[in-house]
Amino acid sequence: MSDAYLFVDTRMQDGTVVKHMQPADRSGSAEFAFDPSVDTPVFAGAAPASGHWYAADDRIGARIDLDCPPLVMDGPLGWWHRALGIDVYDQDLGAGINVGLIDSGVGPQPCLSHVRDLGALINGKLVPDGRDIFVHGTMMAGLIAARPVEKGNYAGLAPGADVMSIRVYDKAMAGAQPTDVAEAITLMANVEKADLINLSLSDVAPSEVQQRVIRQARSVGTLCIAAAGDDPGPVQYPAQYAETVAVSALGCDVPGPSEGTLQATRPADTGKIGQQGWFLSTMTSYGPALTCAAPGAAVIATVPSSSGVPLYASVIGSSPATALVTGLLAAYLSRDAEYNGLPRDHRRADYAEKALRTLCRSVGLAADYEGQGLPALSD
């Protein structure tokens, strides 16, 4: 498969993990060279551009073969919808809730034509073009609020929500500047009146300016929902801050994805395996800062499409888990009259977080792995 990115994660001598990525050649292959005295390969994966399952393996050798079978497109609902208590597609679910997405941009994608493009914040400058420079932001937007345009398309959890996007990445796979993320939060909270902001991004280092604006956003009624991170270690930032909702990624033994996806995300530690097929994904951070957990493996999401055809790909990690929690909470709050009658101050954000916590049920994991548990609109 030539239309794919291949990558290898390596562990440096200081314990940090570095991702090495390159596009596949015409034969669907790529070569990576490493110096064992500097870093050790620990994980390899293949991310098809669309139409096929992601696959990965932690069994590293000189040659690694990964199988990426075709996706089964039988939307508008997937197993992740049902796991989160959504059994019937409702295009108005989430209506009236303003959701901000700070990521790599959005679209083009026919199922996301309703998403408002607020441009990009790069090095403190707001520019008008907020189109996705990779695929990540389009995936998160789709999990939150995709609106199917063809039979089989998967919907977001809150397709009726009002979603707006700001791109904070200048280059694919390059980190976002903490100050740009902070400025985007301020714009969405103070000017655009976002109820929820999805932050499917993470950093090992704290940022005083980020924490300050997240706290200020909360004071005007905006709740930030952040990814715990994808490395098996402590919850990263900004999810680590007490003012945010922190989300870890769960996997589940469900039919459909390649065994390569499940093999890569299923833990060897039995203490990370819960009930009814649920487990803590190997592609997540965790710890006492967690608020909840959500599906973060074998999930299918929208990707950019310049042809006008609605394309989808699979995605794993705490990023999709976070987007699903954002969509779920938007869906719930849209039908909560008390919430919608609250003024735009800290009470509105506090109510939203409390509501999320009440929706959570344990899947049999320790609190450091699942927080309050898996949220669902119904049991």
Side-chain angles (χ1 to χ4, degrees):
M1 181 181 300
S2 60
D3 192 13
Y5 273 91
L6 305 180
F7 62 86
V8 175
D9 289 354
T10 63
R11 181 169 286 112
M12 309 297 287
Q13 289 184 337
D14 64 0
T16 59
V17 176
V18 178
K19 187 179 295 295
H20 309 266
M21 178 175 283
Q22 58 180 292
D25 62 21
R26 291 184 178 181
S27 68
S29 303
E31 292 186 1
F32 298 83
F34 304 101
D35 182 347
S37 67
V38 177
D39 55 357
T40 302
V42 294
F43 186 83
S50 65
H52 292 261
W53 284 105
Y54 167 100
D57 205 330
D58 58 2
R59 295 167 295 185
I60 303 298
R63 177 187 173 94
I64 305 168
D65 293 314
L66 299 170
D67 179 32
C68 301
L71 300 178
V72 176
M73 299 298 297
D74 57 359
L77 302 184
W79 73 267
W80 53 96
H81 291 87
R82 299 180 179 90
L84 295 167
I86 297 177
D87 298 314
V88 178
Y89 175 62
D90 181 351
Q91 63 181 0
D92 295 324
L93 200 57
I97 302 299
N98 294 325
V99 178
L101 176 67
I102 299 174
D103 212 291
S104 65
V106 171
Q109 226 290 348
C111 299
L112 298 174
S113 60
H114 59 291
V115 175
R116 285 197 294 137
D117 179 3
L118 301 184
L121 263 167
I122 307 297
N123 297 323
K125 183 179 180 181
L126 183 63
V127 296
D129 186 0
R131 287 176 297 177
D132 202 339
I133 61 166
F134 192 43
V135 297
H136 194 272
T138 303
M139 286 182 152
M140 300 310 109
L143 292 173
I144 296 169
R147 297 176 181 173
V149 297
E150 293 181 359
K151 183 179 179 180
N153 292 167
Y154 288 108
L157 271 72
D162 297 314
V163 180
M164 50 195 163
S165 167
I166 293 180
R167 176 166 60 85
V168 290
Y169 292 88
D170 189 24
K171 298 179 181 178
M173 302 307 294
Q177 295 295 325
T179 50
D180 289 335
V181 175
E183 192 170 342
I185 292 170
T186 298
L187 175 61
M188 286 186 166
N190 294 346
V191 179
E192 299 295 338
K193 311 299 182 186
D195 297 302
L196 308 173
I197 293 178
N198 189 89
L199 296 167
S200 288
L201 44 78
S202 61
D203 198 316
V204 294
S207 166
E208 183 179 343
V209 64
Q210 267 189 19
Q211 185 176 22
R212 184 171 65 251
V213 300
I214 289 171
R215 186 181 299 124
Q216 194 277 331
R218 190 157 180 148
S219 74
V220 296
T222 301
L223 181 64
C224 291
I225 303 173
D230 292 344
D231 297 328
V235 173
Q236 298 182 12
Y237 299 91
Q240 183 69 244
Y241 301 131
E243 296 84 1
T244 67
V245 165
V247 184
S248 65
L250 298 176
C252 191
D253 289 321
V254 295
S258 68
E259 180 56 28
T261 296
L262 294 177
Q263 175 66 31
T265 57
R266 190 188 293 119
D269 182 355
T270 57
K272 295 178 180 178
I273 299 175
Q275 303 164 348
Q276 298 178 320
W278 289 104
F279 53 84
L280 183 75
S281 171
T282 56
M283 295 286 287
T284 190
S285 303
Y286 50 84
L290 285 179
T291 307
C292 63
V299 174
I300 299 174
T302 48
V303 293
S305 171
S306 58
S307 67
V309 176
L311 300 179
Y312 284 76
S314 64
V315 59
I316 65 174
S318 62
S319 286
T322 301
L324 290 176
V325 168
T326 298
L328 176 77
L329 188 54
Y332 177 82
L333 294 174
S334 69
R335 297 183 173 178
D336 189 315
E338 184 176 354
Y339 172 79
N340 287 289
L342 290 172
R344 289 197 174 274
D345 59 25
H346 72 91
R347 288 171 290 181
R348 190 175 179 89
D350 292 348
Y351 186 100
E353 181 175 355
K354 183 178 179 180
L356 175 62
R357 290 177 180 272
T358 63
L359 296 175
C360 293
R361 300 291 183 272
S362 175
V363 296
L365 294 169
D368 275 9
Y369 299 151
E370 68 172 13
Q372 298 291 307
L374 176 73
L377 293 189
S378 60
D379 294 331

